[in-house]
């Protein structure tokens, strides 16, 4: 697995370090955010290089795309002038933090350096039992079967984030110009494509890189696009249907986890023969729940209470 | 030096840069970006080590952990941004520093008195 250093690796690493430094020291926050999105896209190149295509897809869609959009819209809500800032803090304090950081880097570097060169990890165990997982993509197998517990709790984290965001207030309209004709035309063109790609990624996750998270993130980008284009949601969907969609991922996962328990089987231990169906069911619901959750988090608060005024909600 | 070590050390460096910025940058949105950069450095260490396992394919377990990490990071980021926007709406300030904002408006050069405020920022 150890190959020689190539020019590509060196250029990529130098670019990543350069971008990380410059996005964090850019005076203008808008510039910093754009650099952050670039950084995320380059990082997904690094994931491809390190043979982690699942992670690359998630990074491009979530790490660069959704996070970048979230920061940009927050920047819009923060308002103008204060987005630029000289490097603050006294010199000695920055020096202190810098030397502590350097010390930490030395420690981490030493720890990484002294790792054994050939580590088996848990790979052997995973590949040995892939036949029992119900899927062919090992990453999906780990996420939805072997370590489904992590994914269940991850859905709880997403749900908690929405609860936190909603408890802070109603979503407010970001200050944006009215959408032009070209944006609306683009939305009409892209939305069906986004739904298609999302479904394809979900289905692909069984055998190839893809799955609920990548599909959900792509679908969420559709919601973000609709919100940016000023498309009003259907008010009747802003009540309990929205809340049901938000809770559905965690709820269904939990129900399946408990329902398969019994006899000698533990929590989340799917009965033999049922794995593929159960994983597909969970992933399907998870895709929608993740998409709606990310879209709601982009809106930045609960839908406005007055019916009909619910511009900032989620549905088409 | 091999690929695995190079990428893992890059991950350590990015993590450290992110952590440094998290402590020294004042603006809340900058802190959010810094936390994200630090997290991605950590992910890079994970994926590099997964790549280094012997055999044709990398270890899928760190891949699954990083995937989970990316989704958790975006939800934490979203919540932090909502909190930051709310903080800005309620207090009119963009950072946790108490007086320095007013001070900066008067005399932009007065940076040496800001040290105590940084402590508040570090608590986040």
């Amino acid at each position: 697995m150890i190959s020689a250093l190539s020019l590509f690796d060196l250029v990529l690493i130098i670019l990543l370090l350069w971008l990380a430094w410059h996005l964090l020291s850019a005076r203008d926050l808008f510039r910093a955010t754009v650099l952050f999105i670039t950084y995320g896209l380059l990082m997904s190149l690094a994931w491809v290089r390190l043979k982690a295509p699942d992670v690359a897809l998630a990074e491009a869609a979530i790490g660069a795309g959704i996070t970048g959009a979230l920061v940009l819209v927050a920047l819009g809500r923060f308002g103008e002038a204060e987005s630029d800032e000289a490097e603050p803090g006294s010199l000695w304090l920055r020096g202190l933090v810098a030397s502590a950081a350097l010390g930490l880097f030395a420690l981490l570097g030493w720890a990484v350096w002294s790792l054994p060169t050939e580590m088996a990890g848990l790979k052997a165990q995973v590949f040995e039992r892939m036949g029992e997982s119900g899927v062919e993509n090992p990453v999906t197998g780990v996420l939805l079967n072997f370590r489904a517990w992590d994914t269940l709790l991850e859905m709880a984290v997403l749900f908690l984030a929405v609860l936190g965001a909603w408890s802070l207030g109603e979503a407010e309209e970001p200050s944006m110009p009215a959408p032009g004709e070209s944006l609306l035309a683009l939305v009409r063109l892209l939305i069906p494509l986004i739904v298609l790609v999302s479904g394809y990624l979900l289905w692909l996750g069984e055998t190839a890189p893809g799955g609920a998270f990548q599909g959900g993130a792509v679908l969420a980008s559709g919601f973000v696009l609709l919100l940016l284009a000023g498309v009003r949601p259907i008010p009747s969907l802003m009540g309990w249907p929205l809340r049901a969609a938000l809770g559905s991922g965690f709820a269904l996962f939990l129900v399946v986890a408990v329902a398969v328990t019994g006899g000698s089987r533990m929590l989340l231990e799917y009965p033999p023969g049922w794995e593929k169906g159960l994983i597909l069911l969970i992933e399907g619901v998870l895709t929608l729940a993740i998409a709606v959750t990310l879209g709601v988090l982009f809106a930045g608060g609960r839908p406005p209470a007055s019916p009909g005024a619910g511009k900032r909600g989620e549905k088409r | 030096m091999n690929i695995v070590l190079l990428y893992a050390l890059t991950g350590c460096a990015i993590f450290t840069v992110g952590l440094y910025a998290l402590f020294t940058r004042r603006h809340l949105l900058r802190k959010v970006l810094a936390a994200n950069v630090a997290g991605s450095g950590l992910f890079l260490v994970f994926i590099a080590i997964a790549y280094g396992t012997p055999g044709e394919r990398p270890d899928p377990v760190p891949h699954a952990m990083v995937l989970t990490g990316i989704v958790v990071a975006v939800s934490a980021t979203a919540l932090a941004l909502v909190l930051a926007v709310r903080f800005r709406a309620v207090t009119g300030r963009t950072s946790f520093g108490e007086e320095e904002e007013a001070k900066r408006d008067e005399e932009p050069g007065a940076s040496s008195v800001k040290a105590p405020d940084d402590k508040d920022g570090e608590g986040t």
Side-chain angles (χ1 to χ4, degrees):
Chain A
M1 218 63 265
I2 315 288
S3 39
L5 276 183
S6 67
L7 189 64
F8 175 78
D9 294 303
L10 283 177
V11 171
L12 184 59
I13 281 172
I14 290 167
L15 271 177
L16 279 175
L17 287 169
W18 185 87
L19 275 173
W21 179 257
H22 278 264
L23 84 92
L24 292 173
S25 49
R27 281 182 166 234
D28 178 29
L29 256 172
F30 178 74
R31 187 181 143 85
T33 314
V34 173
L35 285 177
F36 176 76
I37 296 171
T38 318
Y39 168 83
L41 290 175
L42 274 180
M43 195 54 113
S44 60
L45 263 187
W47 302 144
V48 174
R49 170 70 183 88
L50 294 171
K51 293 192 177 173
D54 292 88
V55 183
L57 280 171
E59 174 83 39
I62 304 179
I66 302 279
T67 309
L70 283 170
V71 177
L72 278 180
V73 81
L75 190 58
R77 287 176 183 147
F78 254 65
E80 12 44 73
E82 317 208 41
S83 72
D84 58 304
E85 170 193 42
E87 176 133 342
S90 67
L91 204 60
W92 72 265
L93 191 85
R94 267 188 287 147
L96 194 72
V97 177
S99 42
L102 274 178
L104 182 69
F105 174 67
L107 271 175
L108 288 173
W110 176 75
V112 166
W113 188 277
S114 56
L115 283 173
T117 45
E118 295 272 284
M119 285 178 301
L122 290 167
K123 187 156 66 174
Q125 287 93 315
V126 171
F127 283 112
E128 194 177 298
R129 311 197 62 166
M130 271 315 290
E132 301 170 26
S133 72
V135 290
E136 285 164 48
N137 177 7
V139 177
T140 305
V142 173
L143 276 174
L144 270 307
N145 195 339
F146 302 140
R147 294 291 308 169
W149 185 233
D150 293 347
T151 312
L152 173 64
L153 291 182
E154 176 185 354
M155 292 313 293
V157 169
L158 274 174
F159 189 59
L160 279 177
V162 171
L163 286 187
W166 279 25
S167 65
L168 285 168
E170 290 181 354
E172 51 174 310
E173 195 85 14
S175 45
M176 266 184 289
E181 268 307 307
S182 52
L183 177 60
L184 290 176
L186 192 69
V187 168
R188 274 183 217 113
L189 197 68
L190 278 181
I191 292 297
L193 201 63
I194 283 174
V195 174
L196 191 69
V197 168
S198 161
Y200 178 65
L201 279 173
L202 165 67
W203 179 253
L204 205 64
E206 307 279 303
T207 51
F213 299 103
Q214 294 88 347
V218 169
L219 199 55
S221 73
F223 288 138
V224 169
L225 203 57
L226 285 171
L227 287 171
L228 288 178
V231 176
R232 312 278 171 98
I234 302 163
S236 61
L237 286 176
M238 286 300 99
W240 68 265
L242 178 65
R243 286 156 178 81
L246 285 172
S248 61
F250 181 54
L252 178 98
F253 212 149
L254 201 60
V255 165
V256 171
V258 175
V260 298
T261 317
S264 59
R265 275 197 304 278
M266 305 197 326
L267 203 65
L268 280 167
E269 194 177 333
Y270 310 133
W274 286 63
E275 298 97 345
K276 181 163 182 161
L278 283 176
I279 287 178
L280 201 58
L281 172 72
I282 293 172
E283 281 213 298
V285 177
L286 244 53
T287 304
L288 187 69
I290 290 168
V292 176
T293 303
L294 291 176
V296 160
L297 286 173
F298 181 78
R302 61 178 183 271
S306 53
K311 306 173 190 175
R312 303 289 314 150
E314 273 328 302
K315 291 286 169 172
R316 274 159 264 179
Chain B
M1 194 190 271
N2 59 51
I3 294 282
V4 175
L5 202 54
L6 190 67
Y7 276 100
L9 286 177
T10 307
C12 294
I14 290 175
F15 175 75
T16 318
V17 165
L19 211 59
Y20 169 75
L22 182 64
F23 285 143
T24 54
R25 299 297 183 266
R26 206 168 273 277
H27 197 289
L28 290 174
L29 294 190
R30 255 175 242 279
K31 283 187 188 291
V32 171
L33 286 179
N36 269 291
V37 168
S40 70
L42 200 70
F43 297 154
L44 192 52
V45 176
F46 265 67
I47 301 293
I49 289 175
Y51 183 76
T53 52
E56 184 67 18
R57 308 174 69 175
D59 188 353
V61 177
H63 289 189
M65 289 165 84
V66 169
L67 260 178
T68 307
I70 288 176
V71 177
V72 169
V74 78
S75 27
T77 301
L79 185 56
L81 289 173
V82 172
L83 277 169
V85 169
R86 188 88 188 125
F87 178 81
R88 160 88 172 141
V90 170
T91 64
R93 287 189 275 126
T94 58
S95 67
F96 290 136
E98 197 65 49
E99 310 109 288
E100 100 282 348
E101 206 125 299
K103 232 166 221 158
R104 194 164 55 220
D105 290 344
E106 292 157 30
E107 36 172 345
S111 60
S112 57
V113 285
K114 290 174 193 168
D117 300 325
D118 252 358
K119 285 230 164 77
D120 298 331
E122 281 168 32
T124 55

